[in-house]
Amino acid sequence: MKKNFFISLTLCSFLWITSGHAEENKILTETIKGAIKDLVEDNAAFANQKVEKDFKAFLDIQNPRVTMVLCSDSRVQTDNFSQGAENDIFVARNIGNQFVTTAGSIEYGVNVLKTPVLMIVGHSHCGAIKAAMGDVGSLPAGIRKEVETIDVKAAKDDKQGVIENVHYQVEKALNQFKDKVNAAQLAIVGAVYDFRNDYGYGYGQLIIVNLNGEKDPEKIKDSHYFDNIKKVSIGVN
Ligand SMILES: [Zn+2]
């Protein structure tokens, strides 16, 4: 009797779990279908608004002005920094907006495409920074490898960690491109995109925190590179 009850209970649990999984899978399938459909249709709508001349300037060659290193975080997009990123921003992305894990792509932008600006952009609420400040050893191997190259041990919290990481990545970039920076052929800008207003300049602001290794906001402000900008957010507390 007890055995039958146990078997019935196990069977019920099994059916409940499998039907739960079946329902979950059904929802997931619909999500996948919806996402692919949206991507295909959004592209079709984009393509329908365009004609050949819209692409003519860059059919055979790209000539961006900026190489930008961004975190892969979906809340950070080139639209946040440009009203015409097409053929203007050469983008290298990874978790934690790191130099070393995408050095080849950055080198291509700076040395082959010869963009005069290299901008490394961190962002508020960065999961990679939080992960790097936590128990890295508990992460799956592939993710651990990607996070281990972030050095933010000195930061007191992740808000400061985001800034420290940008400084660290600028330092790495300077090691690689110091000759170009010294020859004024390249400006390396470190910045933070703040969609949470964590740093007090307002939601969605791009805050400059480093220019060619200089971290002092007053000295950055004095740079002739900022002469033509009416309003710019520089430095964080
Ligand atoms: Zn991030």
Side-chain angles (χ1 to χ4, degrees):
M1 186 67 183
K2 266 188 181 173
K3 194 180 173 189
N4 284 345
F5 174 74
F6 179 72
I7 290 168
S8 302
L9 196 67
T10 308
L11 189 64
C12 282
S13 304
F14 175 74
L15 288 172
W16 183 82
I17 289 166
T18 50
S19 65
H21 278 172
E23 189 55 34
E24 261 179 40
N25 280 346
K26 202 174 151 194
I27 293 167
L28 194 54
T29 301
E30 289 308 309
T31 304
I32 293 168
K33 282 165 68 178
I36 295 171
K37 179 175 181 280
D38 285 349
L39 290 167
V40 170
E41 289 183 356
D42 284 359
N43 171 255
F46 164 81
N48 282 340
Q49 289 167 6
K50 300 281 181 179
V51 290
E52 187 183 348
K53 77 169 174 48
D54 295 324
F55 300 98
K56 208 156 189 172
F58 52 88
L59 284 179
D60 300 319
I61 193 167
Q62 60 169 326
N63 53 356
R65 292 179 300 173
V66 182
T67 295
M68 190 173 262
V69 184
L70 295 177
C71 180
S72 301
D73 194 300
S74 61
R75 297 166 293 185
V76 183
Q77 300 294 343
T78 51
D79 288 357
N80 306 139
F81 319 112
S82 172
Q83 294 187 341
E86 220 169 24
N87 196 33
D88 196 32
I89 303 182
F90 181 79
V91 193
R93 300 192 76 148
N94 55 54
I95 54 171
N97 42 274
Q98 301 179 61
F99 184 85
V100 289
T101 56
T102 190
S105 299
I106 298 168
E107 191 179 331
Y108 188 83
V110 171
N111 285 343
V112 179
L113 299 175
K114 300 191 187 317
T115 65
V117 177
L118 168 60
M119 185 176 272
I120 298 172
V121 185
H123 67 94
S124 44
H125 204 249
C126 182
I129 300 304
K130 286 173 192 259
M133 295 178 82
D135 180 14
V136 176
S138 67
L139 297 169
I143 300 171
R144 187 173 69 235
K145 186 168 175 283
E146 193 84 352
V147 167
E148 273 175 345
T149 44
I150 297 172
D151 184 3
V152 286
K153 290 178 192 72
K156 69 176 191 302
D157 55 26
D158 67 286
K159 190 178 144 185
Q160 191 184 41
V162 166
I163 308 293
E164 289 305 318
N165 180 49
V166 169
H167 291 320
Y168 180 69
Q169 303 306 334
V170 169
E171 191 184 307
K172 296 281 173 196
L174 272 169
N175 288 341
Q176 177 83 19
F177 302 118
K178 58 181 177 297
D179 291 347
K180 273 183 172 266
V181 170
N182 290 339
Q185 293 169 351
L186 176 71
I188 302 177
V189 182
V192 175
Y193 169 63
D194 186 12
F195 62 85
R196 282 164 54 100
N197 195 20
D198 277 350
Y199 301 95
Y201 285 98
Y203 290 91
Q205 288 284 322
L206 183 71
I207 306 160
I208 310 294
V209 297
N210 194 312
L211 174 65
N212 293 334
E214 181 58 66
K215 301 175 193 174
D216 182 339
E218 294 306 317
K219 288 184 180 164
I220 296 173
K221 269 178 202 158
D222 285 344
S223 167
H224 62 282
Y225 287 137
F226 294 95
D227 280 353
N228 300 329
I229 309 175
K230 281 186 190 149
K231 189 170 179 282
V232 57
S233 305
I234 297 177
V236 292
N237 294 316

